[in-house]
Amino acid sequence: METAGSSSGKASGIAWRSLATLAGAVATSIAVAVAAVIAVVFAATLVVIGFMATALLGLAAFALRGRTATAAAPSGDPALIEARHMGGHSWVAYGWNERR
């Protein structure tokens, strides 16, 4: 035996089910959009890190090239001695005992 209240209960259940399906679809769309934005940001971050690593390696190569060029350059003046700063007020001189 059906009453008027039970048929409106079925209609209300269908309405809630439709509303829940619609809300689920909207939530899924928002989640996909957020995931796409996060993926783009992550990819851009990796590109920037790659550029920075390349620049760092290039600078290190220039520094090593300059260091070997400076160490290999002979001094033109035989009266010149080499001194290195050891920190504070300390200096160490090389070649002074070979002078005549």
Side-chain angles (χ1 to χ4, degrees), residues 5-6 9 14-15 18 26 28-29 32 37 39-40 56 59 62 65 67-68 89 92 96:
S6 78
I14 292 173
S18 301
V26 169
T28 302
S29 300
V32 167
V37 169
V40 168
L56 182 64
L59 289 174
F62 281 131
R65 177 188 285 180
R67 187 175 189 177
T68 57
H89 296 289
V92 175
W96 60 271

Side-chain angles (χ1 to χ4, degrees), residues 5-6 31 45-46 63 74 85 98:
S6 78
T45 302
L46 287 179
H85 186 232
E98 291 142 9

